[in-house]
């Protein structure tokens, strides 16, 4: 039911992952039997985890490592990797600057023009290393560099912005990206996002999206919700967009995976994402904590360097283990941030879900006390779930 905010304004209640719980059914299964595979286009991955296209998360080396482990990493083609041949001094400056000087430094570093030859080089480096070359552009970047990405033979292209729609109005002097035409002409699968509603997700699928990213503002380093006041809590957003996917498949026979993007820290968060309807998750800060991450223990959002209105910040996530320990274990921490795949398969076993499709059908309860009930000692001593 809608809730009345005031005369003439009603609102629907929306839920975040911390407010829901997954309920076991009548069957359980051994975690080794859980099938976690998902696909985008003709690319299948064993681990339903996509590392976000953020400069502190994915570089060429990380994209290759993620591919080797069975996951996927997306390289930001409008970040420092395509503005600087040698990124190491740039990353060192970002890690060393103080909080008060950070925004100005980022605006300075990201003001250097993108070099198309570096786009080609980075894609070639990933493929030469045996990795899947998944890359990201904004809609404006896709207009400029889409052809370059196609010529370089990337494997996947993610077109991302705070909100992407098929009904974008632009000034007469600006030609907006025609998503339908772009998806049709690109020789590789194109994922589109971000969105948070049934209608927009459905329109993106009709435009030819190979996958749809869901999430506005929940990311650890994102400040869009504070700056713009825009967003929908992820449990509700994912469920709404997953409903669009299911309706679209019934109408067309084409299945478009939904990627829950942002707000995901623990294995439990991943399990809840999929239970709400996601096919996979896109995560940044959990991967930024790996020893191999380029950010040196720091993580910052894609909209952080905006010269006009920054909508992200730099956070210190630290370094807690190797990428392998974080993704597939063995876990060295007890708070759910290591062995994310193990958490998913164990949860699927507990819930009796043999694969992702069955996991999407498990029962969900509204449970605002799920993470605090009985955890007074952990909270007081900052252990486990109380960190």
């Amino acid at each position: 039911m809608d809730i009345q905010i005031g005369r003439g304004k009603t609102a629907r209640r929306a839920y975040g992952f911390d407010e829901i719980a997954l309920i076991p059914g009548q069957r359980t299964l051994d975690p080794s039997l859980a099938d976690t595979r998902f696909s985008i286009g003709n690319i299948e991955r064993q681990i339903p985890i996509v590392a976000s296209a953020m400069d502190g998360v994915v570089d060429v080396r990380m994209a290759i490592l993620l591919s080797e482990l069975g996951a996927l990493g997306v390289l930001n083609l409008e970040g420092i990797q395509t503005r600087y041949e040698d990124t190491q001094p740039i990353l060192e400056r970002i890690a060393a600057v103080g909080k008060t000087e950070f925004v100005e430094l980022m605006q300075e570093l990201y003001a250097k023009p993108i070099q198309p030859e570096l786009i080609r080089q980075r894609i070639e480096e990933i493929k030469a290393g045996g990795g899947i070359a998944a890359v990201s552009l904004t809609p404006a970047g896709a207009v400029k560099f889409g052809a370059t990405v196609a010529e370089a033979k990337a494997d996947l292209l993610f077109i991302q912005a705070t909100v992407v729609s098929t009904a974008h109005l632009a000034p007469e002097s600006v030609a907006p990206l025609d998503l339908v035409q772009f998806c049709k002409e690109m020789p590789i699968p194109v994922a589109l996002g971000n969105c948070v509603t049934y209608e927009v997700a459905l329109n993106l699928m009709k435009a030819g999206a190979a996958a749809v990213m869901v999430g506005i503002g929940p990311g650890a380093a994102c400040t869009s919700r504070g700056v713009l006041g825009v967003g929908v809590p992820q449990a509700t957003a994912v469920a709404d967009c997953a409903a669009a996917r299911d309706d679209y498949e019934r109408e067309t026979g084409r299945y478009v995976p939904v990627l829950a993007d942002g707000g995901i820290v623990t294995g439990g968060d991943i399990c809840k994402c999929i239970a709400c309807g996601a096919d996979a998750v896109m995560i940044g800060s959990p991967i930024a904590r790996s020893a191999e991450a380029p950010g040196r223990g720091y993580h910052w959002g894609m909209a952080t360097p905006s010269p006009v209105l920054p909508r992200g910040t730099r956070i210190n996530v630290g370094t807690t283990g190797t990428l392998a320990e974080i993704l597939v274990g063995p876990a060295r921490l007890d708070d759910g941030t290591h062995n994310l795949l193990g958490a998913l398969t164990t949860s699927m076993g507990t819930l009796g879900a043999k694969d992702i499709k069955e996991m999407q059908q498990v029962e969900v309860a509204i449970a605002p006390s799920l993470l605090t009930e009985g955890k007074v000692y952990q909270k007081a001593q900052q252990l486990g779930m109380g960190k």
Side-chain angles (χ1 to χ4, degrees), residues 69-313:
L69 287 167
L72 184 67
V74 184
L75 187 72
N76 178 12
L77 293 185
E78 296 182 52
I80 63 172
Q81 294 293 329
T82 56
R83 298 175 193 266
Y84 299 90
E85 172 73 36
D86 183 3
T87 61
Q88 297 310 309
I90 307 303
L91 290 163
E92 289 168 7
R93 290 183 67 187
I94 292 172
V97 72
K99 294 180 181 178
T100 56
E101 302 87 13
F102 170 70
V103 173
E104 289 186 7
L105 174 65
M106 295 295 277
Q107 290 172 329
E108 171 198 330
L109 295 176
Y110 283 76
K112 184 172 181 179
I114 296 167
Q115 302 178 51
E117 61 271 20
L118 282 179
I119 290 178
R120 297 187 188 92
Q121 180 179 322
R122 300 306 184 207
I123 292 171
E124 291 168 0
E125 288 171 347
I126 294 171
K127 292 175 78 71
I132 296 171
V135 295
S136 173
L137 290 167
T138 62
V143 172
K144 294 180 182 178
F145 306 116
T148 302
V149 170
E151 290 167 6
K153 294 182 169 54
D155 297 304
L156 290 169
L157 175 60
F158 289 69
I159 295 181
Q160 293 182 267
T162 302
V163 177
V164 166
S165 77
T166 55
H168 179 69
L169 301 180
E172 291 184 5
S173 60
V174 177
L177 177 65
D178 184 331
L179 293 176
V180 175
Q181 191 68 20
F182 187 85
C183 290
K184 185 182 298 184
E185 293 178 352
M186 283 297 285
I188 59 176
V190 180
L192 301 176
N194 283 29
C195 64
V196 289
T197 65
Y198 174 98
E199 293 80 8
V200 174
L202 186 61
N203 287 338
L204 294 178
M205 294 170 193
K206 290 178 178 177
V212 170
M213 289 154 283
V214 177
I216 296 175
C222 183
T223 62
S224 290
R225 290 181 177 179
V227 176
L228 305 178
V230 175
V232 174
Q234 279 289 68
T236 296
V238 170
D240 284 348
C241 295
R245 173 203 61 211
D246 294 341
D247 287 348
Y248 181 73
E249 183 189 24
R250 277 190 288 269
E251 292 174 9
T252 67
R254 189 170 79 93
Y255 190 87
V256 181
V258 166
L259 309 183
D261 178 15
I264 298 155
V265 177
T266 67
D269 295 335
I270 295 173
C271 298
K272 292 178 185 181
C273 279
I274 296 175
C276 286
D279 297 278
V281 298
M282 180 172 267
I283 59 177
S285 59
I287 305 298
R289 302 175 83 196
S290 68
E292 298 91 342
R296 294 158 169 75
Y298 286 94
H299 173 52
W300 56 96
M302 295 175 71
T304 300
S306 170
V308 178
L309 189 67
R311 298 182 303 283
T313 189

